[in-house]
Amino acid sequence: DARWPAVTVAELERYVRNAKVGGKGPAAVLNACGSDYGQPVNFWLSDGTPVFNSLCHGPPTDPDRHYLYYYRSFLNVSDPVGDLAGRIRWAAAHRRPSENQPMFLVVFGGLGLYGGNDDLFLFLRAVMARLDETFVVVGGEEAARLAREVKIGT
């Protein structure tokens, strides 16, 4: 299926429901390439669990399926920092549901970037330096907490 590894909302709902039966449900769910099913970048399941979709497609002119998902081998080699920063800006400008709504972008797949794992954080720090102060890096637990707060406030 061209939409792999994404799953449908119904499958996500079932997964979370079953996880809760088994003990504790997830604080949030990452659905790799859920945008391939037409899902928004961020949404909430019926029980309030936030879903973060990685963005696999960028502008219509972008031919690859790795826009912010396993991006490593698809960046412009002459300016990979600028390319990834530009992709993040494009996603924020074109995939945000409304100007006033916070947005959580999942950017991953950079291990082994340009020959070694130890430069990943330096690379991402350089990418963040090219973005303005409206972009903030948070970890998974903090993203889940913030997304639940946004949902409660709506």
Side-chain angles (χ1 to χ4, degrees), residues 45-67:
L45 298 176
S46 61
D47 72 342
T49 300
V51 177
F52 305 123
N53 275 312
S54 58
L55 189 57
C56 294
H57 291 93
T61 57
D62 182 58
D64 70 62
R65 294 190 67 235
H66 299 276
Y67 200 66

Side-chain angles (χ1 to χ4, degrees), residues 16 20 25-29 43-51 147-148 151:
V16 169
K20 286 180 177 181
V29 176
F43 68 96
W44 292 261
L45 298 176
S46 61
D47 72 342
T49 300
V51 177
R148 285 182 178 273
K151 177 66 174 170

Side-chain angles (χ1 to χ4, degrees), residues 60-128:
T61 57
D62 182 58
D64 70 62
R65 294 190 67 235
H66 299 276
Y67 200 66
L68 296 178
Y69 170 74
Y70 285 109
Y71 59 81
R72 177 185 67 200
S73 300
F74 299 91
L75 295 176
N76 179 325
V77 293
S78 63
D79 186 13
V81 169
D83 187 10
L84 185 56
R87 290 172 182 227
I88 293 168
R89 281 191 294 273
W90 182 90
H94 292 89
R95 295 299 181 105
R96 182 185 307 268
S98 71
E99 192 173 313
N100 297 327
Q101 183 176 3
M103 179 181 210
F104 300 90
L105 289 172
V106 176
V107 179
F108 68 94
L111 290 178
L113 191 66
Y114 306 109
N117 294 335
D118 59 351
D119 65 354
L120 172 66
F121 297 104
L122 295 176
F123 174 78
L124 293 176
R125 178 186 285 170
V127 169
M128 289 305 299

